Each structure stands twice: as C-alpha cells, then as structure tokens.
Amino acid sequence: MALKPGFGKWWRMGGAAEGLLAALVIIGLVGAVTYAATRPTVRHTWDLTKRDIYTLQPQTRGVLSGLETDVHFITIMRPESGPLFSGLAEVQQKAADYVNTLLRLYEQEAGGRVTLEILDPHRDSRRVNDLVRALHLQRYNVVLVQGPERTEQIFLDALVTIDRGLEEGGATKPAELRAYHAEREITSALQSVGVTETKKVGFLTGWGGPRMDAFEMFDLGLLAEGARGQGLEPVPIPPEDVAASLADVDVAVLCGPEIDPGDRVAQALIEFVAGGGALLLAIDPTHDAPGLDRLLSEVGLVRELAVLCRSDFPTVGPDRAILTVQRFDAEHPITAPIARQGTFARMYSVGGLARDRSAPSTTSTTPLVTTSSQTFGDRFAPGERSGDWMPTAGEREGARSVAYAVQPAEGGRAVVFGGSAHLTNGFLSTQEGGRANFDLALYALNWLVERESAIEVGERPAFVSRVDLLEDELSTVHLYVLLLMPLGGAILGLLVWFARRR
C-alpha cells in the first residue's frame, strides 16, 4: 500500500500510534472480559447471574442498616473428596466461592459494621487451629458470625443444596449444586448476633400440651431453638402470676393448652395485647376452653369446633386429619415469602377460624393460610377428641382459613392458629412440609416483634449451563482466549502501523 505524496514524518508517527492504540484497546477488552468471567468479585457491582444470586434482598438490607453492633464474618472452607470422578470437590469449591462473594457484598452494604476474614486451613493453620479449640469446631466448610457476645456457626450444607453424587447401578453420579439459600441463613445469624436488645418470647406453661424445653414429637423444643436463632430469647411463664410475667416479655405464646387457663389468664392476655404486647395463640379445636374463646373474641376471631379432614383422601381414619396446605396469603409479610417459594405446610387436627362479626371495623384480620376446597369439618361428641373422620350429614365441606394475623387500630399484634401440632417438633423436622412449617412459625414471631426485615427470603435454584470438555479441549479454549485472541489484536495493530510507515 503506497501513501500519497505530502504525508510526512508526523503523519506516519500518528498512524503508528493509532495502530498501537487499537492493539492495546483490543488486548484491554479481551483482558477485561476474561477477568470478569473468572473473578466473582466483579459481580458486586453488576450481577449478571440468571437468578440474581449476588443481589441482596430488601429484607437483608434492612437488617444491615439496623445493626447495633459490629459483626465479623470468618469463613474456613476446604472442599471434601467425594466418590471417584464425582466432582464433589469442584462443586463445593464453587459453593465456597459463592458464599465468600456474597459475604463481601454484606461487608460493602453494611457501611463499616461488618468485616470479613477468609481463612485457608493450610495457609492460616495457626489461626484456624485457635478457632477450632476456642469454638469447639467439629469440621471445616463453615461460616462463623461473631458478635460482641456470641458466635453463630453456619456450615456449608446449610448455605447451599448439593447433590453429592450418589452411586446409581454401580456408576458414579456427578455432584451438582442445586440451590442457594445462604442469604437466608446469614441474615438470620446477623439478626441473632448483631443487635443489643434481645426481644423475649414468653411460653405460657402449666396448662398441659406441648412443652417449651422438650424435644419429644409433640413438644416445642425446636421452635424455641429456632426463636433463639432469630435473636429472640424464649423464657417460660409459670401459671402462678401470669400478669406480672407478661410485663417482662415482648411476645406471649400459648400453644395447645389442654386445660382452659380460665378468665384470669384470658384477661391478662387481653390487657397485654391492648397495651402493645404481641400474642401467638394456637388452639386445638378439640379442647373446650371458654376462657380462650373469650380471648379469641376480643382479638376479633371465632373458631369452629370441628377437626378439618380431607374429603378426597382414599382411606379412613386419623390420616384424613393431616392436611397439606399450599394457599398462603401472597401480600402479608408473614406468608408472602412462602407463597413465592411455592412450598407447602403440613397441619394436623386443625380447626377453622373466621372473623368475629362483632369485631370492630378498625381491627385488621388477615387470613394467612387456607385449606383446599376438598375439606370438611369432622364434628365430635362432647368429651371426645375426634369424630369418625368421614363426611356425614350436617358437616360442612369447603375451604377454611386456619391461621390469621390480627392488628387492631390501637394495641399490639396477634397471630392465631386453629391448631398446635404443626408447631411441634415432629412437624418442624419432617422433610415434607417441615421447612414451610418452620418458616411460618419464625416469620410469625418476627412479625409479632415488628421485625419484618428479618423475615427471610427463600432459596434460589442454581442455574447451571454445563459444557463438559476434555483436558485437551479445555487447553485449546485457553489457547484461543488467553493467547491467540490478544495476539491477533496486537498483530492487527502492527500491520496497520507498518502499512502507514510505507
């Protein structure tokens, strides 16, 4: 290529500079794209993931903005060796990278209240060993959430769901990262360790029914432990002087009493709510309790004295009284996250609730959970706990509301359930419905203490677009992306430079 006469030295130097600049721009763009693709920390600013897994939810931002003390995160991650060729170590490393990146985002959003320390068991062995001894750690792959007074431990298998690669017919199934739910657990731990004022939840005792500190199937030990995990302090309220004890708690819980507490306790609870206190009440339909019926009427509700059963169930007997409920109010803070997740809860021997016609118009009563339309109310004789579990004449069929959130214009808040079994250990620990049951209970407690920001978000499915490459194919990709593409840009720039010198 020959240049026209009149182009001198400065023109040629400008052309050379233009060519070199083009080469540098191409190299810079390729390098930036490569860096962004291989460095998760870039996602702090631009979250381009399909499920927004690196974007904190408004509930989490609310907790971070309300932190009253400094919180220190420590991660100790070491992938395990799973079945041969399962890829478990690689999947766990990917999960660990996700957790560390998410924690960096917490650190950025907290305005100096949150700090992060990422430890390697080999490189930082002395520091890790000190933590193992001080905190009695049993294994690695853990996030430590340290506040001024207590430390929460969250293990990796509580932060993500990993299919570890089970053997099928003698073959090894590749491990797979299924879902992310780290934000839910981390935000809950923050709520636990990062506030100085601990809300107290008082469990009324002495009236029979589930026990607060026991772990038999129909007790409330798991609920009490879950409340502690939310930064709440469960305490017993003995029957001797309920009114005086209520003055020291923020929430009163009366769950499944088998003995009617009577007018004295009912009046104390009515005054407690009217004075700004919060009440979680779970009344079984089989218990005759005039005092509690009076309490229900005061908060604006009435109950149906019948056990709700499935009319579509193919067998007979008490199994009909186990209900799978999927209809959650999509607007209320307690149930909106559960409705979005599309999960279900399990309830047993529960009765219907409805708004009392005499309730003041200023009292808000929101039905939170509703059964399917294929439900009937099984009536029973006085003194009995069930009927025949079969629909008969006079037993109404149709959907019922079995949980309500109540908020009067003046006073506190109340959450009422038409039964108590779904709050007990046996229903909170089951794989079928247990997560939604637990969420329903803990979200209710957080709403009652006016901590809507602590109502956690659900898990996010892991979106995996997977291409399996052999080692030589992967080397070819690296060659093209990291060497030939930048080199091609440089050669193009040099060619332009040489052409302009002629």
Side-chain angles (χ1 to χ4, degrees):
M1 175 180 176
L3 299 177
K4 295 180 180 180
F7 289 96
K9 174 182 177 182
W10 294 108
W11 191 94
R12 290 195 300 271
M13 290 181 64
E18 181 183 348
L20 288 174
L21 180 62
L24 291 174
V25 169
I26 293 173
I27 293 173
L29 287 174
V30 173
V33 171
T34 303
Y35 181 82
T38 57
R39 299 291 295 178
T41 53
V42 174
R43 295 172 185 149
H44 287 311
T45 305
W46 300 287
D47 185 0
L48 304 180
T49 57
K50 184 177 180 67
R51 304 286 182 179
D52 292 333
I53 63 173
Y54 295 100
T55 300
L56 296 183
Q57 298 300 299
Q59 296 95 328
T60 294
R61 291 196 179 97
V63 171
L64 288 170
S65 65
L67 285 178
E68 301 169 3
T69 61
D70 293 340
V71 176
H72 185 52
F73 289 128
I74 302 174
T75 69
I76 308 173
M77 300 292 180
R78 187 175 70 181
E80 307 171 33
S81 57
L84 189 62
F85 305 123
S86 71
L88 177 62
E90 290 79 2
V91 170
Q92 286 189 336
Q93 185 60 57
K94 179 179 179 181
D97 291 341
Y98 152 71
V99 171
N100 288 334
T101 302
L102 192 67
L103 291 174
R104 290 189 186 99
L105 190 55
Y106 274 80
E107 186 179 32
Q108 290 181 359
E109 292 278 350
R113 280 290 195 186
V114 170
T115 53
L116 173 63
E117 183 180 6
I118 299 175
L119 299 179
D120 182 276
H122 299 294
R123 185 185 65 246
D124 308 300
S125 58
R126 179 174 298 180
R127 169 76 167 138
V128 170
N129 289 335
D130 289 343
L131 289 169
V132 168
R133 287 191 294 268
L135 301 175
H136 308 287
L137 288 178
Q138 300 298 315
R139 53 192 170 106
Y140 295 141
N141 291 334
V142 65
V143 175
L144 305 176
V145 186
Q146 293 186 328
E149 297 181 358
R150 55 189 179 274
T151 298
E152 294 282 337
Q153 301 177 14
I154 317 173
F155 290 96
L156 186 62
D157 53 9
L159 300 172
V160 296
T161 298
I162 294 177
D163 183 339
R164 300 174 67 90
L166 302 175
E167 294 185 356
E168 295 181 345
T172 301
K173 177 183 176 182
E176 185 179 355
L177 182 57
R178 291 290 184 87
Y180 302 103
H181 34 83
E183 186 177 352
R184 178 177 64 200
E185 304 298 334
I186 293 168
T187 300
S188 175
L190 270 179
Q191 191 73 26
S192 175
V193 306
V195 294
T196 55
E197 180 189 3
T198 301
K199 302 285 187 178
K200 290 185 178 181
V201 179
F203 287 77
L204 276 74
T205 62
W207 313 105
R211 298 166 294 174
M212 181 196 88
D213 54 355
F215 291 88
E216 299 296 327
M217 181 174 180
F218 289 104
D219 287 316
L220 301 174
L222 289 179
L223 177 59
E225 289 299 316
R228 288 191 181 94
Q230 297 289 302
L232 306 173
E233 181 183 353
V235 296
I237 295 180
E240 291 79 22
D241 195 352
V242 173
S245 299
L246 288 174
D248 296 327
V249 302
D250 300 279
V251 180
V253 177
L254 182 56
C255 184
E258 295 182 350
I259 303 171
D260 184 11
D263 286 338
R264 177 179 61 87
V265 173
Q267 184 60 36
L269 290 172
I270 291 169
E271 294 174 359
F272 176 67
V273 175
L279 172 66
L280 191 153
L281 184 61
I283 310 178
D284 295 317
T286 56
H287 294 154
D288 184 26
L292 294 184
D293 286 329
R294 177 184 166 224
L295 172 61
L296 267 183
S297 179
E298 288 291 334
V299 299
L301 299 175
V302 293
R303 61 174 178 152
E304 179 183 4
L305 294 179
V307 175
L308 298 183
C309 296
R310 294 174 56 181
S311 58
D312 62 331
F313 205 63
T315 62
V316 297
D319 285 348
R320 280 182 174 266
I322 300 177
L323 304 182
T324 299
V325 290
Q326 296 176 284
R327 296 169 61 182
F328 301 95
D329 185 270
E331 302 297 330
H332 197 277
I334 294 176
T335 47
I338 307 175
R340 288 195 299 268
Q341 294 166 23
T343 55
F344 63 89
R346 286 286 179 87
M347 294 187 170
Y348 173 68
S349 190
V350 66
L353 298 170
R355 180 184 174 92
D356 192 336
R357 294 180 180 179
S358 63
S361 59
T362 54
T363 297
S364 169
T365 55
T366 304
L368 300 176
V369 184
T370 304
T371 69
S372 75
S373 58
Q374 294 177 311
T375 304
F376 70 94
D378 186 38
R379 296 186 177 276
F380 45 88
E384 295 184 355
R385 293 297 180 90
S386 67
D388 57 4
W389 297 291
M390 295 291 292
T392 56
E395 294 181 341
R396 184 170 64 90
E397 185 169 353
R400 315 290 213 284
S401 295
V402 292
Y404 269 84
V406 180
Q407 192 167 8
E410 296 182 359
R413 298 179 171 187
V415 173
V416 181
F417 294 106
S420 63
H422 68 284
L423 301 176
T424 61
N425 301 328
F427 282 78
L428 296 184
S429 60
T430 180
Q431 292 185 350
E432 295 185 351
R435 169 53 64 182
N437 282 35
F438 228 138
D439 286 347
L440 185 61
L442 296 183
Y443 294 169
L445 289 176
N446 277 307
W447 182 76
L448 288 170
V449 297
E450 300 184 31
R451 280 188 190 167
E452 282 86 347
S453 61
I455 295 178
E456 50 209 352
V457 297
E459 67 182 28
R460 295 162 175 167
F463 176 77
V464 179
S465 180
R466 179 171 178 163
V467 178
D468 293 319
L469 299 177
L470 299 176
E471 190 66 31
D472 58 340
E473 294 173 328
L474 188 60
S475 300
T476 302
V477 172
H478 286 164
L479 177 65
Y480 275 102
V481 173
L482 301 179
L483 179 61
L484 295 184
M485 289 178 65
L487 184 60
I491 292 173
L492 178 61
L494 290 173
L495 288 174
V496 174
W497 182 67
F498 279 120
R500 300 208 178 216
R501 289 193 62 188
R502 293 180 57 187

